[in-house]
Amino acid sequence: MGSLQVFLDRFGPSSQAESGWLQNLFTFVHQHLSPCAGGPAHCAAVDQSAAGEPICGPAHSINQSASGASCDQGVCELSVCVVEKIQEQSCLSSSRPVSYRPLSVSELLSQQHLACVSNLSWSTNQHRAWAGEAELSLPGQRALPRVSLLLIGWLREGRGGEWRLADGSGSVRCELTCPSPLWMNRLVFLPHWNYIPHDASGRDQERGHLELIGSPELLRPRAEQGLAAGPGGAGLDGALSVREAAGVLRNRVRGQRVSVVGQVGSVRPLLEVAGSSFFFFCLVEDEQTVPVLVKDSNLWWSQCVCVGLRVCVTALRVCVLRGWRGNNVLCVTDRSQIHTGYTQHHTHTLKQTLEHTLSGTTHSQPHTHSEESEPPPPSPDDHLQMDQEEAEPEEDPVQSGVRIKRSRVISYQLHHVHFLYRPCPDLPPSMLCCCLGSSLRVTAFSRVGGASCDRSCPGDGVLPRLLLQNNRGVDQYLWTCHLASQLAHSLVPAGPHHPPLPQCVCLLSWKLSETLWTPRGPGPRDIYSEMLDQPHSCPLDQYQVDPCVPQLLSVSELLQSLSSLLPPGGSGLSRSQVNSALSWSCRTLTSDPGTGDGLRPRPLLLVGVLQLPSERSEFRQTLQLRDATAAVGCVATETREDGGQRAAFNTAWIGSLVCVRRFAMVTERFLQSEFPSCQHLDQDRFISHRSGRVYLQFSLDHLVILCPSVTMVTHLRMKGAEPGSDEEESSAMKKRRPDEAVSSSVTMTTLPEGGASLPCVTMVIKVESKGGVAWRNTGMGRDGEAGLELGFSATALLIGPVVSWGRDPRNEPMMEREAGPEREEKVLLVFSGVAARWFPVLQPSSVYRLTALNTQDPSVLIGSSVPGQRGAELHSDSSLQVRSDWRFHTLTRPLLLLHTWTQTPPPPVLTVSQVLDCRSEVVSFQGRISERVGLMARKGRAGHAHTGRHAHSGVRLTMCDQSGRSLCVYLDLSHAPYTPGLLPGNEVLLSRFLRKISRSGGVYCSLSPVSCVTVTSLGDSCRLAPPPPAPSMHLAQWASSRCVQAQVRGHLVCVLHLQLQWSCCRCGSVYTQVCSSRCGSSSSGFRSTAKLVMDDGTAEAHVWLSGQPVQTVLGLADSQWEGLQSAVRVRGHIQVRPRGRSQGTPGDPEDVLLRFLLSLCSSDVISRQLSLTCRKRTNQSSAELRRFSRGDRDFLTRLAPPLQLTCTHLDPPTC
């Protein structure tokens, strides 16, 4: 290669290292920058650079028949120019920078994966000082590492007005602080730059960008460059002033071209509307303003014009801007040029600009700084001074159409911004907000490295475009932007191995804002008036903030909202009462603070995917809501066709991305403790075991479908969503305008579990009944668990035969061939292990399609019969073991054929009253829970290892119906997982429970091996309505009835017994100054009990009272009651029996307190009418024979003893 030797001879003798460095540089220029290798465009740029002609427009064509000798000569001359520029910038004056190597653009993008900085003129000490200052300005961050790389290429125009550095291998986007127009289309050498790599795993994403921290060096043989005159003689000498240009606008002349000189007063953001990109900037002089419209191939001017800079624009024409009240503007043409950088400027630092902005403004008024001017383009000698300017922390991204930097810390200047106070509850209280009349200019780039932990969305520009196309207030838009970032955190897993942020997140946030917000405002926006009108007017001038705007929480944040529950107190509780009350406690908080006790002051939203419970789920009987942070169990119900509520049964919800608008968060706590008294509740050493469970309760009617599953799409299509429903809103996401096609993933459904095109066999069934989930010995032990697995069974009616399919039909409408002839064939479906996850959605009286994938063998869905003995009649159904990969799909609209299965009535569901009056041994009934009590485990009987329960082994539920009658139900939880949703106020369906009679004659129900508990309706636990009143009965009628609780009204005859005592809270002994048993406790409580005789005219009853009702019966005021307690405290205990022997102070016949109580119990205050709600005691006596003597005759009769009752509520007595 003769040209290489000529090139080496130009620099004389060199060392071996320098000679090798020169050869590598020459080879790089020949491969990536020579006209022979770079194509026509590159040849044009090189030839024009060699001629010394400034390039301000597109590259011109060149002669394609240049000889190889002239090409080599051009490469040699260009290589010499590059070496001279490198030596001028290098900090080494006596030698060449052999440690620096040239790098092509393609190598930079593919090999450089870390952010870095390159500065040829820096010494090692200078770089260390720069790095130390950068790390001090932002503690905890590392400065950009230094690399020894050289970048050479052409500065070209890219898409949307961006600047790009290009060579023969590719191009990369460049960010510049204030570039000169003379740099465009010129071959340059970059001595000072930062490189910021991006996560480019998404499609059509940039892999990185350059930040020019110093001016580039133009590669040309001579240094002269002048201002190019505009075409047609419209140069600087013939340019008009702004005042003269304003007159030209008023008197438009067709075909006229003018040049205008003026100071840039404002720069509007670059916008893309209807496929056309443009921006405005205004030239000002005194009070005159002239707007200039820039579009098409001159969009790169947007980075050259800065507020305060004096420019000259040539070849402008006057045009009418439609939509802006018919006003005229100056518009650039294909022959227009812009000239800058030839006047004096003065600057303000960013700190002074922000201080002036914050101190001299009022609420929501735009700020104009027309007196500010920008610094000239930095020269090669002052790049260090620019880099050493103080860096300011980055503010919130400005959503105004401009590109947002990804660096950690930048310096910038804002012009014509609004000061907003509390525009959004989720954002800082004060903000500087940019509008279409604002401008933002970066003055210095970040010095610290490290990729941001928050990945950006490929659809970042979607929200600004939707803002321009829709009528949204600033508070709504800011909330939508914050919602998008929250969804990115809660829906996308964190970590480098996960895919990039889906583009649909932005549109999902917008969809939620459209659902939850009502559009408001004067009407469609006029963007031209917002950018060009004087005085300035835009939607930011006036805004309103709704304090009740919803707040989105991730599932993990929700689970941390309630870390603990305060235990209930009570100074009068004994040791056993305290520990019994603490064994189970519950607190329910709603998502909307307006409907009860709220989790937060604002309404809450949850976004996640509904799924079946996994093997690791805490609740195996409920669905779960999962996002990228955590999963939580959900007790879900839905509305029946008749308007009532039922348990969730539609499998189409599985896999759908939903937003829960209304829900209740339930926190249940289980505690095993040995607290001596209520004064020791703050001491954890008395707690031997504690556990808590958190889950949600909501109705599927309160869900908004954001991204439906494949089966949900089919369900909505068959259902035909009614106007205004949430389902229709979610399906309307498919009907987008063409300009919203930037994110096709909004119309995407969530991915199915696979097997859509696999062959399968199916069978349609109707579930008649199912048993509860319990630990069963399946004989398939693993991990030393003795073969115990969760499982349940369900009895189903076969609708038709097994059908083979070439693909999975899922929940498509039922076919004729799937309905067989009229028959009564049932099958027992056995679920165990992973298959038990279908428990939450399999409900009685519902029709399902059972699918076995990847097989064409019908025998897999045929149950096996139990072999019978000869001469024995077998009544059992065939059984079918459900495999883990089988699926169930709900058929909401099966064929209405006249078969037995369509006419078979569902099993009867009784009410509580019917259960009390019937005589069946096995019953299924439905009722509302009015009370729940945890049952303590007996000593020596531990709970099952899989239940995780140590404090108690069962639950007693009190069920009631509309008649007010109640029934106790006992649930043994020692061999079953915990069932959520058993809370007062909820309605439950209890299937196949055992009805039993207690020793006192009362009716109660208990769990059997085939029993099942299902929550069918959710009550308002925060505002729990009182249970229906107990039935009113006469005493004689109640004596022969099995009713446990009733209301009675009668006359108080007398007081049989009254006991007042101060008891030790630890051991229950009598307490005076100290405990009588000397247990060492210093806490005591006052207890009062009384036994009364009540008569309602039909019979008598003995009523036991305790606590506050005793004070009411005695007719004592609060002050009198407190005085009586003080008098009893001295002696500790007193008993009064007005009709027997009382116990007062020993040896004191004139006991004043005793005589007072005897007198009080015999006074007329006691004898009055009372209305009580009582419960039968268990120690009822049977009728006994009594002998009466009258004269010489004896009478023998059977007398019924008085009822023994315990008062649960005492109405205020009437006179």
Side-chain angles (χ1 to χ4, degrees):
M1 184 181 295
S3 57
L4 174 59
Q5 188 61 41
V6 173
F7 169 71
L8 294 177
D9 293 342
R10 294 282 297 269
F11 296 98
S14 303
S15 63
Q16 183 179 0
E18 292 181 347
S19 177
W21 181 80
L22 290 173
Q23 293 181 23
N24 292 336
L25 187 62
F26 182 87
T27 304
F28 174 82
V29 173
H30 183 271
Q31 292 179 351
H32 300 287
L33 304 176
S34 69
C36 302
H42 290 179
C43 295
V46 173
D47 289 351
Q48 291 177 350
S49 297
E53 299 176 6
I55 302 175
C56 299
H60 302 283
S61 62
I62 67 171
N63 187 4
Q64 299 295 325
S65 61
S67 63
S70 61
C71 180
D72 292 342
Q73 182 181 0
V75 172
C76 181
E77 294 297 330
L78 181 58
S79 300
V80 172
C81 182
V82 170
V83 174
E84 291 176 351
K85 290 299 181 181
I86 292 176
Q87 287 182 326
E88 290 177 5
Q89 293 292 326
S90 175
C91 61
L92 303 176
S93 58
S94 59
S95 61
R96 297 180 179 89
V98 296
S99 61
Y100 280 79
R101 66 180 181 92
L103 192 71
S104 66
V105 172
S106 61
E107 292 174 335
L108 177 69
L109 295 176
S110 61
Q111 299 178 9
Q112 188 65 36
H113 303 296
L114 298 177
C116 59
V117 59
S118 178
N119 200 318
L120 184 61
S121 62
W122 285 353
S123 64
T124 303
N125 292 334
Q126 286 177 316
H127 173 72
R128 289 175 180 174
W130 176 88
E133 183 181 353
E135 294 176 357
L136 286 176
S137 64
L138 191 63
Q141 300 294 332
R142 303 282 296 179
L144 290 171
R146 186 182 182 183
V147 294
S148 299
L149 300 174
L150 301 175
L151 292 180
I152 307 172
W154 288 268
L155 286 177
R156 302 290 193 193
E157 176 190 1
R159 293 178 300 178
E162 65 183 14
W163 289 54
R164 303 188 72 85
L165 180 72
D167 61 10
S169 64
S171 65
V172 61
R173 179 168 58 89
C174 296
E175 296 289 349
L176 308 94
T177 54
C178 191
S180 171
L182 302 178
W183 300 348
M184 179 58 68
N185 293 325
R186 297 298 298 270
L187 184 63
V188 297
F189 159 61
L190 304 183
H192 324 287
W193 48 269
N194 298 335
Y195 177 68
I196 309 298
H198 299 170
D199 179 12
S201 53
R203 186 177 58 182
D204 298 335
Q205 282 188 286
E206 291 279 359
R207 286 183 289 179
H209 75 271
L210 286 175
E211 297 174 346
L212 272 61
I213 59 177
S215 299
E217 289 292 330
L218 303 180
L219 298 177
R220 58 189 180 277
R222 57 183 185 271
E224 295 85 358
Q225 67 176 305
L227 292 174
L236 181 61
D237 295 337
L240 304 178
S241 65
V242 175
R243 185 178 299 275
E244 293 171 337
V248 174
L249 286 179
R250 290 190 294 270
N251 303 306
R252 179 188 179 192
V253 178
R254 183 177 297 274
Q256 182 182 13
R257 300 293 185 267
V258 297
S259 299
V260 182
V261 175
Q263 187 180 28
V264 179
S266 60
V267 181
R268 307 312 186 197
L270 193 151
L271 299 177
E272 180 181 353
V273 178
S276 177
S277 300
F278 62 91
F279 77 95
F280 289 92
F281 68 91
C282 296
L283 298 178
V284 297
E285 181 181 340
D286 298 334
E287 299 296 331
Q288 293 291 331
T289 302
V290 174
V292 180
L293 171 63
V294 183
K295 59 180 183 178
D296 299 332
S297 61
N298 296 317
L299 293 177
W300 57 271
W301 290 11
S302 61
Q303 298 196 43
C304 298
V305 290
C306 307
V307 176
L309 189 66
R310 192 170 181 82
V311 300
C312 175
V313 189
T314 64
L316 295 173
R317 67 183 179 91
V318 181
C319 64
V320 177
L321 183 62
R322 296 180 181 179
W324 186 45
R325 305 172 185 174
N327 293 338
N328 297 338
V329 297
L330 293 177
C331 182
V332 299
T333 62
D334 295 338
R335 307 174 64 87
S336 296
Q337 298 179 7
I338 185 170
H339 304 283
T340 62
Y342 53 89
T343 59
Q344 295 181 352
H345 307 279
H346 62 278
T347 63
H348 290 290
T349 63
L350 175 64
K351 182 177 180 180
Q352 294 171 338
T353 303
L354 290 179
E355 288 179 353
H356 180 73
T357 302
L358 294 175
S359 60
T361 58
T362 56
H363 179 64
S364 72
Q365 295 297 324
H367 305 279
T368 304
H369 300 281
S370 58
E371 74 280 3
E372 284 199 12
S373 59
E374 303 301 326
S379 62
D381 298 331
D382 60 359
H383 57 84
L384 285 178
Q385 180 181 0
M386 179 192 68
D387 290 341
Q388 292 173 359
E389 293 177 356
E390 181 180 358
E392 294 293 321
E394 182 180 5
E395 294 286 342
D396 292 322
V398 182
Q399 302 287 351
S400 58
V402 298
R403 189 178 297 277
I404 304 303
K405 300 297 181 298
R406 304 194 184 201
S407 303
R408 288 291 185 88
V409 179
I410 60 174
S411 298
Y412 56 90
Q413 289 187 358
L414 297 173
H415 298 272
H416 308 96
V417 297
H418 294 260
F419 177 77
L420 306 182
Y421 180 70
R422 297 190 182 278
C424 179
D426 297 306
L427 296 177
S430 57
M431 296 178 59
L432 294 179
C433 190
C434 294
C435 65
L436 293 180
S438 305
S439 63
L440 179 147
R441 186 179 73 87
V442 177
T443 61
F445 295 106
S446 172
R447 304 182 186 182
V448 297
S452 175
C453 58
D454 294 332
R455 291 167 290 169
S456 66
C457 176
D460 274 340
V462 173
L463 293 181
R465 285 195 288 274
L466 290 174
L467 174 64
L468 296 177
Q469 297 166 3
N470 296 271
N471 188 16
R472 285 289 183 268
V474 61
D475 56 329
Q476 299 176 355
Y477 175 71
L478 292 177
W479 181 82
T480 304
C481 295
H482 174 76
L483 185 63
S485 64
Q486 291 292 100
L487 289 176
H489 168 70
S490 62
L491 296 183
V492 182
H497 302 291
H498 292 283
L501 187 66
Q503 193 173 359
C504 62
V505 169
C506 291
L507 288 180
L508 284 180
S509 62
W510 191 266
K511 167 61 183 176
L512 278 179
S513 67
E514 286 184 332
T515 304
L516 303 175
W517 292 80
T518 302
R520 59 173 185 265
R525 295 181 58 178
D526 186 354
I527 61 174
Y528 300 112
S529 296
E530 295 179 22
M531 291 189 289
L532 302 177
D533 276 354
Q534 294 295 333
H536 174 72
S537 177
C538 73
L540 294 182
D541 292 337
Q542 295 181 354
Y543 64 93
Q544 56 183 353
V545 180
D546 186 2
C548 296
V549 56
Q551 180 182 5
L552 177 69
L553 288 182
S554 65
V555 175
S556 61
E557 291 173 335
L558 180 73
L559 297 179
Q560 296 171 0
S561 298
L562 285 179
S563 58
S564 62
L565 290 175
L566 294 178
S571 58
L573 296 178
S574 65
R575 176 178 182 175
S576 60
Q577 291 173 330
V578 168
N579 294 291
S580 176
L582 293 178
S583 63
W584 177 83
S585 57
C586 174
R587 187 179 183 186
T588 303
L589 299 179
T590 64
S591 60
D592 189 355
T595 59
D597 295 336
L599 279 163
R600 301 287 178 90
R602 294 160 47 196
L604 297 181
L605 300 176
L606 281 178
V607 174
V609 179
L610 280 178
Q611 295 180 342
L612 293 174
S614 63
E615 287 188 281
R616 299 182 179 179
S617 299
E618 185 178 14
F619 302 110
R620 302 296 296 273
Q621 306 98 315
T622 64
L623 297 173
Q624 66 178 8
L625 184 73
R626 177 178 292 277
D627 62 8
T629 61
V632 62
C634 306
V635 178
T637 62
E638 54 184 306
T639 304
R640 297 194 304 259
E641 295 182 357
D642 57 359
Q645 291 289 315
R646 62 173 298 177
F649 73 99
N650 196 345
T651 58
W653 289 98
I654 301 172
S656 298
L657 179 65
V658 298
C659 173
V660 189
R661 299 181 57 178
R662 287 182 56 187
F663 62 90
M665 176 180 172
V666 181
T667 303
E668 297 187 34
R669 187 188 61 184
F670 306 90
L671 202 66
Q672 186 175 10
S673 60
E674 294 293 336
F675 287 109
S677 64
C678 58
Q679 282 78 15
H680 299 80
L681 297 180
D682 57 345
Q683 302 180 23
D684 293 343
R685 60 189 178 92
F686 295 104
I687 301 176
S688 58
H689 173 77
R690 76 171 79 198
S691 62
R693 289 177 172 83
V694 179
Y695 57 91
L696 304 181
Q697 292 187 157
F698 56 80
S699 173
L700 297 180
D701 304 327
H702 298 151
L703 301 187
V704 177
I705 304 175
L706 300 179
C707 195
S709 63
V710 176
T711 53
M712 178 57 72
V713 172
T714 305
H715 171 68
L716 295 178
R717 184 177 64 250
M718 294 188 301
K719 180 180 179 181
E722 300 179 358
S725 63
D726 291 340
E727 289 83 357
E728 185 187 23
E729 291 178 358
S730 59
S731 62
M733 296 172 64
K734 303 177 182 179
K735 303 177 182 179
R736 305 190 313 276
R737 294 183 294 272
D739 51 11
E740 294 180 9
V742 293
S743 177
S744 61
S745 55
V746 174
T747 59
M748 292 174 55
T749 57
T750 54
L751 294 177
E753 298 179 7
S757 59
L758 295 177
C760 61
V761 291
T762 65
M763 179 175 61
V764 179
I765 61 173
K766 180 181 180 182
V767 177
E768 289 192 340
S769 63
K770 69 173 181 177
V773 178
W775 295 100
R776 305 178 188 275
N777 188 357
T778 59
M780 297 180 293
R782 60 178 183 179
D783 299 332
E785 295 184 1
L788 291 178
E789 281 189 328
L790 279 178
F792 72 97
S793 60
T795 302
L797 181 66
L798 299 181
I799 304 302
V802 179
V803 180
S804 299
W805 300 79
R807 60 176 182 85
D808 186 2
R810 293 192 177 92
N811 61 332
E812 293 180 359
M814 184 176 171
M815 307 294 291
E816 289 282 353
R817 59 175 179 163
E818 293 185 271
E822 181 177 352
R823 58 178 179 173
E824 277 286 348
E825 184 177 351
K826 298 181 181 180
V827 62
L828 179 65
L829 301 176
V830 180
F831 300 79
S832 61
V834 179
R837 61 179 181 157
W838 293 102
F839 180 84
V841 291
L842 295 181
Q843 307 298 343
S845 303
S846 298
V847 180
Y848 301 89
R849 177 182 282 129
L850 174 58
T851 304
L853 293 175
N854 202 20
T855 182
Q856 290 285 308
D857 184 9
S859 63
V860 298
L861 295 182
I862 298 177
S864 59
S865 302
V866 178
Q869 297 180 357
R870 180 179 300 178
E873 184 178 357
L874 189 64
H875 294 278
S876 63
D877 300 324
S878 61
S879 62
L880 180 63
Q881 181 72 37
V882 178
R883 300 179 184 176
S884 59
D885 58 341
W886 291 1
R887 300 176 185 173
F888 290 83
H889 296 285
T890 305
L891 301 181
T892 55
R893 294 187 177 182
L895 292 176
L896 300 180
L897 302 178
L898 297 179
H899 292 302
T900 304
W901 62 269
T902 59
Q903 299 176 347
T904 302
V909 177
L910 308 178
T911 63
V912 173
S913 299
Q914 292 173 337
V915 173
L916 292 173
D917 298 335
C918 74
R919 297 184 179 275
S920 302
E921 294 184 357
V922 179
V923 293
S924 296
F925 63 99
Q926 185 170 343
R928 191 177 72 169
I929 302 175
S930 60
E931 184 183 10
R932 166 182 169 146
V933 178
L935 303 179
M936 302 294 293
R938 298 178 182 178
K939 293 184 179 181
R941 180 185 177 184
H944 198 278
H946 295 280
T947 63
R949 188 120 45 257
H950 301 279
H952 59 270
S953 61
V955 173
R956 188 190 72 193
L957 302 179
T958 301
M959 308 290 297
C960 64
D961 56 11
Q962 296 298 326
S963 66
R965 302 178 69 180
S966 59
L967 172 69
C968 288
V969 179
Y970 294 87
L971 304 180
D972 184 7
L973 305 179
S974 59
H975 296 280
Y978 182 73
T979 303
L982 302 181
L983 305 177
N986 290 350
E987 291 188 8
V988 295
L989 173 64
L990 306 179
S991 302
R992 294 183 289 183
F993 270 65
L994 299 178
R995 180 182 179 274
K996 298 182 178 181
I997 306 296
S998 65
R999 288 176 294 179
S1000 60
V1003 177
Y1004 69 96
C1005 292
S1006 63
L1007 200 68
S1008 69
V1010 295
S1011 299
C1012 180
V1013 181
T1014 305
V1015 179
T1016 58
S1017 180
L1018 303 177
D1020 191 351
S1021 301
C1022 297
R1023 295 181 177 180
L1024 187 61
S1032 180
M1033 305 180 69
H1034 292 292
L1035 293 177
Q1037 178 186 4
W1038 195 2
S1040 59
S1041 172
R1042 291 183 176 179
C1043 184
V1044 178
Q1045 187 170 345
Q1047 293 185 19
V1048 293
R1049 183 179 180 85
H1051 182 76
L1052 199 160
V1053 178
C1054 64
V1055 177
L1056 295 179
H1057 175 263
L1058 175 65
Q1059 178 175 332
L1060 307 177
Q1061 177 179 329
W1062 283 91
S1063 302
C1064 176
C1065 292
R1066 173 176 296 183
C1067 63
S1069 302
V1070 177
Y1071 192 97
T1072 53
Q1073 302 299 325
V1074 295
C1075 179
S1076 60
S1077 63
R1078 303 188 183 277
C1079 65
S1081 174
S1082 60
S1083 58
S1084 60
F1086 183 76
R1087 297 182 179 88
S1088 58
T1089 58
K1091 183 179 180 182
L1092 313 176
V1093 177
M1094 186 176 183
D1095 189 350
D1096 67 346
T1098 62
E1100 283 189 353
H1102 292 175
V1103 183
W1104 295 81
L1105 301 89
S1106 61
Q1108 186 66 32
V1110 176
Q1111 176 188 353
T1112 305
V1113 169
L1114 296 179
L1116 298 178
D1118 293 339
S1119 58
Q1120 295 173 326
W1121 185 250
E1122 293 176 359
L1124 182 60
Q1125 293 181 26
S1126 301
V1128 177
R1129 178 181 286 274
V1130 178
R1131 61 184 67 188
H1133 172 262
I1134 188 173
Q1135 288 186 5
V1136 179
R1137 291 186 175 88
R1139 297 193 176 187
R1141 182 178 179 182
S1142 303
Q1143 294 183 1
T1145 304
D1148 186 4
E1150 300 296 331
D1151 190 338
V1152 179
L1153 180 59
L1154 178 60
R1155 295 177 64 87
F1156 168 74
L1157 293 176
L1158 287 173
S1159 175
L1160 182 63
C1161 294
S1162 303
S1163 64
D1164 296 336
V1165 177
I1166 300 299
S1167 302
R1168 51 184 170 175
Q1169 291 287 334
L1170 292 178
S1171 178
L1172 308 93
T1173 300
C1174 300
R1175 179 183 294 271
K1176 276 185 180 181
R1177 296 174 69 92
T1178 58
N1179 55 346
Q1180 300 290 332
S1181 302
S1182 57
E1184 57 181 9
L1185 292 175
R1186 295 287 300 274
R1187 183 184 298 271
F1188 296 92
S1189 297
R1190 289 294 182 267
D1192 56 351
R1193 293 185 179 184
D1194 293 337
F1195 298 92
L1196 188 65
T1197 182
R1198 185 180 298 273
L1199 294 179
L1203 279 173
Q1204 304 295 316
L1205 307 177
T1206 300
C1207 176
T1208 60
H1209 176 72
L1210 175 63
D1211 294 334
T1214 58
C1215 298

